Amino acid sequence: KTVIDAHNIKKIYNPETVPVVAVNNVHLHLERGEFTALVGPSGSGKTTLLNLIGGLDKPDNGSVIINGVDITRLSANKLIDFRLHNIGFVFQSFNLIPVLSARENVELIMQLQHVKKAEINVRVTSLFRQIGLEDKMDVRPAQLSGGQQQRIAVARALASRPQFILADEPTANLDTKSADNLLDIMAKLNKEENMTFIFSTHDQRVIERARRVVTLVDGQIHTDSSPVSVHADY
Ligand code: ADP
Ligand code: ADP
């Protein structure tokens, strides 16, 4: 089953002044259950490509079809709603809401989706078990390590039951042990729940965990190892 089908997408920043072609004629097809790393030098377009696939930015050309819907043709409000229900985001700086507890951070997205309170409680319990932080539900992000915060961010991304999780340099601010632990959790979710992941990274240890590696150079796909529909290794 196709989850992401980006066709001939292009993104140009500052088209009127000093144009920067950040993503150029990219085709990218992802199937359910993939565990894909997006790699390439700094400035090669990884963040831009993830933003286009995640509907955080619009391409200047081409289409981005997520679960059969061309998100480049949605109105701004429809796009927000589509993202909420279909795409989970994990960022390098965690981006948890500091005044909310870990549990409230994870619950928020389900409240926005109007999930019933009883169902939210069931999902929260199960999510905190999956990330191994059952004992940290009621603390605020500042009381948690970076690795723990990023695990909360993964739980938050999963809470909406997305089609896929998109992670931009998820281990960039983590020490080696926390990064390995985060990858263990992501790989387990991939294997046991068939959750689809695409993550950008510079980290060789993280790249080695991917089943498919797509390399960008100057906004274009340079190499693609391309085995699809296979699970992460442990
Ligand atoms: P990466 O994530 O691989 O480091 P980016 O997608 O951040 O690459 O950037 C790709 C190119 O686009 C770079 O040349 C970068 O300087 C440029 N760029 C990124 N964001 C903007 C922006 N908002 N305005 C102008 N240029 C940008
Ligand atoms: P990364 O390498 O993780 O993509 P960057 O340092 O390239 O991070 O970019 C961080 C932020 O700055 C992003 O939001 C990106 O869009 C923006 N940015 C990057 N390059 C430029 C640029 N040349 N002009 C304006 N904004 C930029």
Side-chain angles (χ1 to χ4, degrees):
K1 182 174 172 293
T2 299
V3 177
I4 300 171
D5 202 5
H7 185 78
N8 202 23
I9 53 174
K10 184 190 283 268
K11 180 71 193 177
I12 306 175
Y13 292 111
N14 312 324
E16 309 293 329
T17 51
V18 192
V20 177
V21 183
V23 165
N24 198 4
N25 304 331
V26 165
H27 294 263
L28 186 64
H29 182 105
L30 258 82
E31 295 278 316
R32 175 175 303 288
E34 285 201 44
F35 201 71
T36 297
L38 186 59
V39 307
S42 189
S44 59
K46 301 181 295 296
T47 297
T48 302
L49 179 56
L50 290 178
N51 288 347
L52 295 173
I53 291 170
L56 296 171
D57 203 354
K58 279 208 173 176
D60 295 293
N61 190 36
S63 55
V64 178
I65 297 165
I66 307 293
N67 201 27
V69 175
D70 185 349
I71 62 169
T72 65
R73 303 172 78 97
L74 296 177
S75 67
N77 283 334
K78 286 245 164 65
L79 181 59
I80 289 169
D81 196 60
F82 186 88
R83 278 202 307 261
L84 179 65
H85 287 91
N86 293 279
I87 309 173
F89 295 92
V90 174
F91 303 97
Q92 76 176 62
S93 48
F94 324 134
N95 293 8
L96 299 175
I97 298 174
V99 297
L100 299 181
S101 69
R103 165 196 273 273
E104 289 164 341
N105 266 280
V106 174
E107 285 176 344
L108 186 59
I109 199 156
M110 292 184 276
Q111 288 161 353
L112 292 171
Q113 289 180 329
H114 306 292
V115 177
K116 296 225 160 57
K117 198 164 187 311
E119 169 69 12
I120 289 179
N121 288 335
V122 171
R123 285 200 213 170
V124 162
T125 305
S126 142
L127 287 164
F128 276 83
R129 192 182 311 122
Q130 286 173 309
I131 59 167
L133 290 175
E134 298 101 313
D135 56 336
K136 301 291 184 192
M137 280 194 190
D138 296 313
V139 308
R140 290 194 176 174
Q143 293 168 265
L144 297 168
S145 70
Q148 290 171 331
Q149 288 186 56
Q150 196 63 305
R151 281 147 68 190
I152 304 289
V154 169
R156 176 182 58 184
L158 280 169
S160 65
R161 303 256 164 105
Q163 296 289 325
F164 66 95
I165 290 181
L166 189 157
D168 193 1
E169 300 265 5
T171 63
N173 289 315
L174 303 184
D175 57 61
T176 302
K177 191 159 164 282
S178 301
D180 285 346
N181 182 253
L182 188 79
L183 262 291
D184 288 344
I185 289 169
M186 288 167 53
K188 193 159 182 275
L189 290 163
N190 172 252
K191 184 160 187 172
E192 293 179 359
E193 320 246 328
N194 207 28
M195 179 51 65
T196 309
F197 284 88
I198 179 166
F199 45 92
S200 66
T201 186
H202 280 104
D203 183 344
Q204 191 56 40
R205 295 167 68 93
V206 174
I207 296 169
E208 284 165 9
R209 302 289 293 270
R211 287 301 300 220
R212 174 179 176 188
V213 180
V214 174
T215 310
L216 278 183
V217 174
D218 293 337
Q220 292 188 293
I221 292 180
H222 185 64
T223 62
D224 183 352
S225 70
S226 206
V228 293
S229 294
V230 280
H231 292 114
D233 282 327
Y234 282 86

